[in-house]
Amino acid sequence: MNSYQPTPIDTTPVALSPEIQELTERLAENAHDHWARQRLADGWRYGPARDDINKHHPCLIPYQDLPEAEKIYDRQTAMETLKAIVALGYRIEKAE
């Protein structure tokens, strides 16, 4: 039996400023692009359904063309990463 119990950084007390929250969409797109680049480098290509044997994946498309459910996943990952940075004591500031 798998006893793995994920223990992510507690980000519940973190409130991000509106300026930092605006980064979420750009970071989500960037994460998707990195994922897609690696998949393509590993020999995967677009296919209408995921097929691990033939290395086809339906999300090997531009971020803006992804289904909303996939974008939500990427946004949540980006937002939690930003919150984790703050929870660990760092500040995120835009250079002037």
Side-chain angles (χ1 to χ4, degrees):
M1 186 168 141
N2 185 352
S3 61
Y4 172 58
Q5 296 291 322
T7 55
I9 297 165
D10 181 13
T11 62
T12 53
V14 176
L16 298 175
S17 69
E19 295 82 17
I20 299 303
Q21 289 179 25
E22 289 177 11
L23 288 173
T24 302
E25 192 68 15
R26 184 62 188 106
L27 291 175
E29 180 178 0
N30 190 59
H32 174 72
D33 286 347
H34 276 281
W35 170 84
R37 182 189 304 175
Q38 187 60 53
R39 285 287 178 153
L40 292 168
D42 291 342
W44 286 73
R45 59 185 192 251
Y46 172 80
R50 182 174 174 148
D51 179 342
D52 290 350
I53 294 171
N54 293 307
K55 294 189 172 182
H56 294 164
H57 202 293
C59 292
L60 285 171
I61 57 177
Y63 179 80
Q64 64 268 15
D65 297 335
L66 287 173
E68 190 61 23
E70 294 296 330
K71 290 180 184 179
I72 289 169
Y73 180 86
D74 289 335
R75 288 178 192 130
Q76 288 173 336
T77 300
M79 182 66 75
E80 284 303 314
T81 300
L82 290 168
K83 286 180 163 184
I85 291 167
V86 174
L88 292 170
Y90 293 89
R91 287 183 292 150
I92 303 170
E93 296 178 351
K94 186 174 183 175
E96 306 232 0

